[in-house]
Amino acid sequence: MFEKCAQISQPVNIINDELLLCSQRFQIQRGASDPNSYKGLGDCFRTIFRNEGVYGFYKGILPPILAETPKRAVKFFTFEQYKKLLSFTPLSQGLALSMAGLGSGLTEALVVNPFEVVKVNLQANRDSFKVQPSTFAQARMIINADGFGLRGLNKGLTSTLGRHGIFNMIYFGFYFNVKDAIPASQDSRLEFMRKFAIGLLSGTISSCVNIPFDVAKSRIQGPQPVPGEIKYRSCFQTMALVYREEGYLALYKGLIPKIMRLGPGGAVMLLVYEYVSNWLQRNW
């Protein structure tokens, strides 16, 4: 059931690759002094199109495609399992839903992190799409240079755990608690809009809260400022360094394209999950 839901919701996430690429580029640029700095979202789109061509917007799309179905299946399946497990604890229902979301996010992060490392390296590459290494060639280069561990294909794992754990904690906790608190409508169209609006807020708020972890992840997994020297080593060390050198707003780089993706995308994903899972439970 959860794999079916994940497969149906997959296009919602991969169709926004242009916004994902811009968000990634904003997160790895190091202030206005960076020669590759973009002035804004429009400048980012124009520059990528001019220098890298239309296919440049689809750099790093294969890792999310490969990861999407298992990632979403893990997210929703483990959320349900953690929710059942926490029902035996004295936690309130609202807190149990948030903790189940946290658990599902941490589990999801373990699955997705290697794909994220490859994706960030591909999206940070500003060469023409035609001369860029393929996804599998990039993965081989990372493994040959640094292996599978925390310096290689699982680099930035702590930041990924923080990003997905916090996102899912708020995402599921806010959606299901607020949905239960607001009376349902008998009109199917109004009910759909009610759920969509709550899902939109869930995705937006979650994105705003977890983005410092996202910035830290991008800095750790992406190219270091000086080749051969590791500047961004760990999650909180990277956050502190970015804050000290670039100010607190730098921890929110890429927020606008991220919200544009995960606000409506998160709403659609929850609606797909609810409607499809209800239909499958009735018919299977």
Side-chain angles (χ1 to χ4, degrees):
M1 178 181 74
F2 301 102
E3 184 177 350
K4 190 72 174 176
C5 294
Q7 290 172 340
I8 293 173
S9 66
Q10 183 179 26
V12 173
N13 298 283
I14 64 174
I15 200 168
N16 291 321
D17 196 64
E18 297 94 334
L19 292 169
L20 177 61
L21 178 68
C22 286
S23 178
Q24 199 75 68
R25 292 283 179 88
F26 280 124
Q27 289 175 356
I28 61 176
Q29 67 183 26
R30 299 176 299 280
S33 60
D34 189 333
N36 295 314
S37 178
Y38 300 114
K39 298 181 179 66
L41 188 58
D43 179 55
C44 181
F45 274 101
R46 287 190 297 271
T47 304
I48 291 172
F49 179 76
R50 184 173 61 249
N51 297 338
E52 303 169 47
V54 68
Y55 291 113
F57 291 108
Y58 296 92
K59 287 181 175 180
I61 193 174
L62 186 56
I65 290 174
L66 294 174
E68 200 64 34
T69 296
K71 170 185 172 182
R72 300 307 178 193
V74 167
K75 177 199 286 283
F76 292 117
F77 175 76
T78 56
F79 173 70
E80 289 294 334
Q81 303 314 305
Y82 287 127
K83 187 170 68 171
K84 290 176 183 176
L85 185 63
L86 289 166
S87 67
F88 297 104
T89 69
L91 294 175
S92 65
Q93 183 182 16
L95 184 57
L97 287 167
S98 296
M99 291 300 101
L102 174 63
S104 75
L106 295 175
T107 310
E108 178 188 38
L110 296 173
V111 174
V112 78
N113 193 65
F115 296 93
E116 285 290 315
V117 172
V118 177
K119 182 200 74 177
V120 171
N121 277 269
L122 290 170
Q123 292 186 335
N125 189 326
R126 294 174 186 255
D127 293 335
S128 167
F129 186 85
K130 294 180 180 179
V131 302
Q132 187 183 41
S134 70
T135 295
F136 298 104
Q138 185 69 54
R140 282 195 299 271
M141 284 191 286
I142 294 170
I143 294 168
N144 290 338
D146 299 301
F148 290 91
L150 296 178
R151 291 175 178 247
L153 207 57
N154 269 294
K155 187 189 300 182
L157 179 59
T158 304
S159 300
T160 307
L161 288 167
R163 183 180 80 154
H164 287 263
I166 290 174
F167 183 91
N168 284 0
M169 179 177 68
I170 298 170
Y171 183 61
F172 285 115
F174 183 91
Y175 179 78
F176 286 107
N177 281 293
V178 173
K179 183 171 72 72
D180 292 342
I182 299 176
S185 173
Q186 298 302 314
D187 187 317
S188 60
R189 289 173 297 181
L190 291 177
E191 177 62 8
F192 178 87
M193 292 307 299
R194 180 184 78 97
K195 290 181 177 179
F196 183 85
I198 298 170
L200 180 66
L201 278 173
S202 298
T204 300
I205 294 170
S206 302
S207 298
C208 291
V209 175
N210 86 329
I211 194 166
F213 289 92
D214 207 357
V215 172
K217 183 191 78 69
S218 297
R219 297 291 180 98
I220 295 167
Q221 293 178 345
Q224 298 289 319
V226 179
E229 295 182 14
I230 301 178
K231 180 177 182 179
Y232 304 112
R233 296 179 178 276
S234 63
C235 178
F236 294 105
Q237 174 263 347
T238 298
M239 285 187 194
L241 193 57
V242 170
Y243 171 77
R244 188 166 61 248
E245 292 184 347
E246 303 170 43
Y248 76 93
L249 288 177
L251 293 169
Y252 294 86
K253 285 183 175 180
L255 179 60
I256 292 175
K258 181 175 181 177
I259 289 175
M260 290 171 68
R261 286 192 313 112
L262 295 179
V268 171
M269 188 164 58
L270 280 169
L271 286 171
V272 168
Y273 166 66
E274 277 215 75
Y275 284 110
V276 172
S277 62
N278 288 339
W279 183 86
L280 290 171
Q281 286 172 358
R282 288 194 305 269
N283 294 277
W284 293 70

